[in-house]
Amino acid sequence: MRIAVVGATGLIGRAVVRALGKGHEILEVSHRKARHRVDITDLNSIRSMYRELGRVDAVVSAAGAAKSAPLSQLGEADFEFCLANKLMGQVNLVRLGMEALNDGGSFTLTSGVLAQKPMPGSAAVSLVNAGLEGFVRAAALELPRTLRINCVSPGWVSETLAAMGKDPSQGIPAAVVAQSYLASIEGTQSGAVLSV
Ligand SMILES: NC(=O)c1ccc[n+]([C@@H]2O[C@H](COP(=O)([O-])OP(=O)(O)OC[C@H]3O[C@@H](n4cnc5c(N)ncnc54)[C@H](OP(=O)(O)O)[C@@H]3O)[C@@H](O)[C@H]2O)c1
């Protein structure tokens, strides 16, 4: 398969690229570091990415930022940032990418455990993660040409916990998380939220 991985330079994206291995043609995309570039907050940038990549069999998004902070400290601009970046950035990868996908192709987006298991400080992150999951369930009902869409909802990744100075054994290694992206790309399901 010809697979675009957006966020290919990130922790999860790198693990997905490694897990996909040599059996596919991987198009690595990121904001600043990969061979192909996109800013998912910019519609024109997404359009030009798809023009550059040409037709693909799968689009993976392991990109998207959202801000953690106490609710009382989250301002209008913080919510706008989260909505424009992690939520609408990924939604727009789908809206503008349908034409680029070959028949039977798939989108795999990334939400996160804070959609289902919030914690203090996660209001904006939980909002966008839950929004993504709702979008994926609904969009799956309408995608044409047997296109599929799923969402991977990772728990805390071990390497991220280690980087935060926390116990990595409380998380899931990125290599394990990556297997859920493979299941989405290579399987037949659509409208699924793959929690890992
Ligand atoms: N790590 C975790 O524990 C965890 C848990 C649950 C959910 N998640 C979610 O999983 C996703 C990936 O997490 P991660 O830890 O792998 O992140 P990461 O290591 O920080 O990587 C982020 C990736 O996204 C790219 N990126 C950043 N801004 C972008 C933009 N505006 N347009 C296009 N690409 C952009 C970066 O590109 P450059 O390198 O070129 O800047 C990089 O490839 C995020 O949505 C995160 O919320 C992560």
Side-chain angles (χ1 to χ4, degrees):
M1 278 191 255
R2 198 160 191 272
I3 302 172
V5 179
V6 180
T9 55
L11 174 63
I12 293 175
R14 285 196 309 273
V16 171
V17 169
R18 269 195 301 273
L20 285 167
K22 307 273 182 218
H24 300 284
E25 181 187 354
I26 312 294
L27 305 164
E28 297 189 23
V29 187
S30 83
H31 196 193
R32 295 191 182 87
K33 299 184 195 143
R35 171 161 179 219
H36 303 282
R37 308 281 166 87
V38 72
D39 179 356
I40 61 169
T41 67
D42 178 344
L43 291 170
N44 284 330
S45 175
I46 295 176
R47 285 191 189 99
S48 80
M49 175 198 78
Y50 280 121
R51 270 197 303 273
E52 181 181 322
L53 298 181
R55 296 193 76 81
V56 293
D57 300 298
V59 175
V60 171
S61 169
K67 184 170 175 181
S68 297
L71 182 56
S72 59
Q73 291 170 25
L74 284 168
E76 193 72 17
D78 297 317
F79 278 103
E80 278 169 12
F81 168 80
C82 299
L83 294 172
N85 198 312
K86 186 165 181 176
L87 181 62
M88 288 312 298
Q90 296 194 86
V91 168
N92 287 330
L93 283 174
V94 175
R95 289 179 54 240
L96 302 178
M98 282 187 259
E99 293 296 312
L101 268 189
N102 290 323
D103 289 3
S106 68
F107 293 101
T108 307
L109 308 185
T110 302
S111 59
V113 65
L114 294 171
Q116 266 82 38
K117 294 184 183 161
M119 55 192 271
S122 80
V125 182
S126 296
L127 169 70
V128 298
N129 285 351
L132 282 161
E133 294 176 6
F135 171 74
V136 161
R137 290 189 187 99
L141 304 175
E142 295 187 42
L143 286 181
R145 299 183 289 111
T146 63
L147 301 182
R148 298 182 299 109
I149 181 168
N150 298 300
C151 187
V152 175
S153 175
W156 285 102
V157 179
S158 302
E159 292 90 331
T160 299
L161 289 176
M164 293 164 71
K166 298 189 174 165
D167 178 4
S169 71
Q170 299 302 305
I172 311 117
V176 175
V177 173
Q179 293 304 316
S180 291
Y181 291 83
L182 263 64
S184 170
I185 296 164
E186 295 172 350
T188 56
Q189 59 199 329
S190 190
V193 175
L194 306 174
S195 297
V196 54

